Amino acid sequence: MGSIGNVTPQAMHFAEPLRLESGAQLADYTLMYETYGTLNAARSNAVLVCHALNASHHVAGTYAGDPKSTGWWDNMVGPGKALDTNRFFVIGVNNLGSCFGSTGPMHVNPATGNPYGAAFPLVTVEDWVAAQARLADRLGIEQFAAVMGGSLGGMQALAWSIMFPTRLRHCMVIASTPKLSAQNIAFNDVARQAILTDPDYHGGDFYEHGVVPKNGLKVARMVGHITYLSNDDMAEKFGRKLRNAAESNEYAFDFGVDFEIESYLRYQGDKFSEYFDANTYLLITKALDYFDPARGFNGDLTKALAATSAQFMVVSFTTDWRFSPERSREIVEALVSNRRRVTYAEIDAPHGHDAFLLEDARYMNVIRAYYERIGAELEAA
Amino acid sequence: MGSIGNVTPQAMHFAEPLRLESGAQLADYTLMYETYGTLNAARSNAVLVCHALNASHHVAGTYAGDPKSTGWWDNMVGPGKALDTNRFFVIGVNNLGSCFGSTGPMHVNPATGNPYGAAFPLVTVEDWVAAQARLADRLGIEQFAAVMGGSLGGMQALAWSIMFPTRLRHCMVIASTPKLSAQNIAFNDVARQAILTDPDYHGGDFYEHGVVPKNGLKVARMVGHITYLSNDDMAEKFGRKLRNAAESNEYAFDFGVDFEIESYLRYQGDKFSEYFDANTYLLITKALDYFDPARGFNGDLTKALAATSAQFMVVSFTTDWRFSPERSREIVEALVSNRRRVTYAEIDAPHGHDAFLLEDARYMNVIRAYYERIGAELEAA
């Protein structure tokens, strides 16, 4: 059981326009993607892995010459891993509007010759799924063995099950929610306000000013980061430890760094602001806010999920207060009301929302067992 | 049972220097305060009410000609109210470094002739208590019937009980904590980063630039505000309601306002940024972060509270996730270990941390009953 080793991203260009939920249209676009493993002759072993806010198509493996470039779900995806690339053909796609190669705000708007900036149309989870489906068409995948994702990725999996019921046999929704709460939206809006009011944002056209709204992005990331961690885990890892504890263990009495937790979050915020695009952050938080498949059904999630025909695996984590187990149970209950086959696991893990990305034996075993079932079905077919 | 009516703030100047915990010193300073009710002949019926982050000495009543200027705890303090001004002599003091009249960052630094700005020394909860004690000296109050506060105000009450054990008979600690958690500190630091990186902050010297760091203050207040409300209460009041629901009920597909919760928080943030001082916000969040009476006792709160001799009332609210009931119970347990007399009430209220400021029959009855006991002791004395 090891890493899949070196992998290579690929680009697929789509010349056909994509009509978006907002009514806007992308004249053409490119999707970056990676694949691991081999598509079988029946084309029945493909698994689509959908990414969350700040991740990408680079799910597993590393890039040649850059041993630190490990994919974001490398602990989950690889030869002999829970999602076994010896058995499955795994696809990661960078979503439209993201900043890792797929068409997004930093790319040239063919209509103006300048970068889109804030003029890049807002995209929804459903728009992403529509674009992913076109990629699947091109790759000759009529039906996925599974579509899987955590957090915002789980929303995409859920949207797949509604929009293309017959194109996936299994839908795996991890650490997700059928819709954001007011509190979730509030945190997203704090992040957006921090970016939008940073003078270096320049109304989204910061590229041509040769700057990035680093301060805004940093604050946005810091507040987001807090919601990814559990209160208990933060208490255990950081507590009230002072950064200078080894030297003086005294308060600094200024606005620099006193506590380890400040140092950690600022550092992570700084790092994030160096690689992540501000316009992408804005539009992805809106995609999160907007996701609500029950919206067209007067808030009735059971009705929204009536169109599905996949089998489901839903996973939540006990200390996740961003998308708590209660939110996963709403999905499970709506599925059960529709008499769908659904496996639900509530993992007792200390790491809050981030748990879906972390190594945890029970979690990995649950996913592994589920994929063994999918694999057995494959072989029986 | 009504409002106390028109009240008048007073200023008391202190020419004696105040040595602060940081080692810095204020050469002289002024405290704004208000009093309600009448000090009895025995000078035994005084109650000090300590304020939290954004409040002031204006605890109850209104200012003449400004009927909207109701004090922040007017529902608690007044004739016939839970803290009955017919019986008690109530004092509210604006803390040092705040922005409602007591000496603070916007006042002139006698050493430079310019406003202090970020050069105003960081003050601690203990510094505030030391300054309050001097005010009590001047008012001829040797011993308070009670010192009472909510949130950061509760920290001051707790500090009183440790620093001046014989100067209060009752200590009332509401919706508070013996120290901030890593998560609490993290949220405070997000707020500080938003202010510090706002270009209009000008390193704290924005006064002389004729601007205020409104955007930073707005973001700071928004993130703070989220932590004051409970998740459930936010869900009930705002949920996913769209602001334009009456007209179109469609998403806007831009970065303006879609949801009511965004509109509410931005509005509150804007309002806050118009009246609150940015340097004050910074220094008060540091006072919160620094409070930790057990720090000098190797983290042992029981030892920290061994010096106390008051009787205690501790109150928490079930849906308060900023300073949860668990944090209040830590105080109660440490007091019980010291064999202090302590009354603890955990109020089942939906409004999160803000509950301590809101009308709630059970809450008010508990406080009223406790003051009746204090009043009975007064009469028996």
Side-chain angles (χ1 to χ4, degrees), chain A residues 346-373:
Chain A
E346 199 166 305
I347 309 285
D348 190 4
H351 302 296
H353 188 60
D354 260 0
F356 88 88
L357 293 166
L358 301 174
E359 198 54 43
D360 178 289
R362 276 173 295 187
Y363 170 40
M364 290 298 161
N365 285 341
V366 158
I367 302 290
R368 176 184 295 278
Y370 198 80
Y371 273 111
E372 273 164 14
R373 185 173 126 200

Side-chain angles (χ1 to χ4, degrees), chain A residues 62-377:
Chain A
T62 48
Y63 296 141
D66 186 359
K68 283 187 166 172
S69 63
T70 313
W72 58 271
W73 227 351
D74 192 75
N75 58 347
M76 173 75 82
V77 178
K81 297 193 177 173
L83 173 44
D84 186 352
T85 50
N86 291 331
R87 202 164 193 183
F88 294 98
F89 177 65
V90 178
I91 306 173
V93 192
N94 189 217
N95 285 323
L96 281 173
S98 180
C99 49
F100 298 105
S102 293
T103 302
M106 72 237 305
H107 293 121
V108 170
N109 180 351
T112 66
N114 293 319
Y116 279 104
F120 193 85
L122 289 199
V123 285
T124 64
V125 167
E126 287 79 4
D127 291 331
W128 287 333
V129 168
Q132 290 160 3
R134 286 193 180 175
L135 178 69
D137 293 343
R138 289 275 195 92
L139 296 174
I141 296 159
E142 174 52 34
Q143 188 185 60
F144 285 103
V147 177
M148 175 194 200
S151 192
L152 177 55
M155 295 178 182
Q156 293 161 59
L158 203 59
W160 263 96
S161 76
I162 297 168
M163 292 169 68
F164 301 106
T166 61
R167 294 196 71 172
L168 68 169
R169 293 194 297 283
H170 293 271
C171 176
M172 301 172 69
V173 180
I174 302 171
S176 195
T177 175
K179 63 183 184 223
L180 295 207
S181 68
Q183 191 187 68
N184 294 146
I185 294 170
F187 280 124
N188 279 347
D189 202 46
V190 168
R192 283 191 294 267
Q193 292 303 308
I195 293 168
L196 290 166
T197 62
D198 184 329
D200 285 339
Y201 179 65
H202 290 289
D205 297 327
F206 51 89
Y207 315 103
E208 56 204 67
H209 291 82
V211 293
V212 293
K214 285 195 61 162
N215 292 327
L217 261 171
K218 176 182 180 176
V219 168
R221 179 59 169 180
M222 286 175 74
V223 71
H225 204 133
I226 298 173
T227 70
Y228 304 150
L229 307 180
S230 78
N231 191 11
D232 286 354
D233 199 32
M234 233 189 212
E236 181 153 328
K237 271 197 199 125
F238 301 101
R240 296 180 54 85
K241 266 194 284 245
L242 296 180
R243 200 184 49 162
N244 70 353
E247 298 122 49
S248 76
N249 213 27
E250 294 297 326
Y251 292 147
F253 288 103
D254 60 30
F255 300 128
V257 167
D258 272 296
F259 297 93
E260 284 279 8
I261 183 66
E262 295 172 305
S263 172
Y264 174 78
L265 286 178
R266 290 185 202 179
Y267 176 77
Q268 296 294 333
D270 279 332
K271 243 178 47 177
F272 185 76
S273 73
E274 277 159 22
Y275 77 83
F276 207 83
D277 178 72
N279 285 310
T280 291
Y281 201 90
L282 293 172
L283 75 82
I284 295 193
T285 57
K286 288 304 277 190
L288 276 160
D289 289 1
Y290 283 170
F291 183 67
D292 182 8
R295 194 163 168 262
F297 298 88
N298 208 15
D300 187 334
L301 187 63
T302 300
K303 285 192 183 139
L305 293 174
T308 64
S309 59
Q311 297 179 44
F312 288 82
M313 148 137 270
V314 178
V315 179
S316 70
F317 299 91
T318 48
T319 59
D320 182 352
W321 63 279
R322 181 177 172 87
F323 300 151
S324 70
E326 196 186 345
R327 315 309 307 275
S328 283
R329 277 185 245 119
E330 290 171 33
I331 299 172
V332 171
E333 283 158 25
L335 289 168
V336 168
S337 296
N338 280 304
R339 296 164 188 255
R340 294 293 166 274
R341 190 163 165 187
V342 48
T343 303
Y344 176 55
E346 199 166 305
I347 309 285
D348 190 4
H351 302 296
H353 188 60
D354 260 0
F356 88 88
L357 293 166
L358 301 174
E359 198 54 43
D360 178 289
R362 276 173 295 187
Y363 170 40
M364 290 298 161
N365 285 341
V366 158
I367 302 290
R368 176 184 295 278
Y370 198 80
Y371 273 111
E372 273 164 14
R373 185 173 126 200
I374 302 179
E377 286 170 9

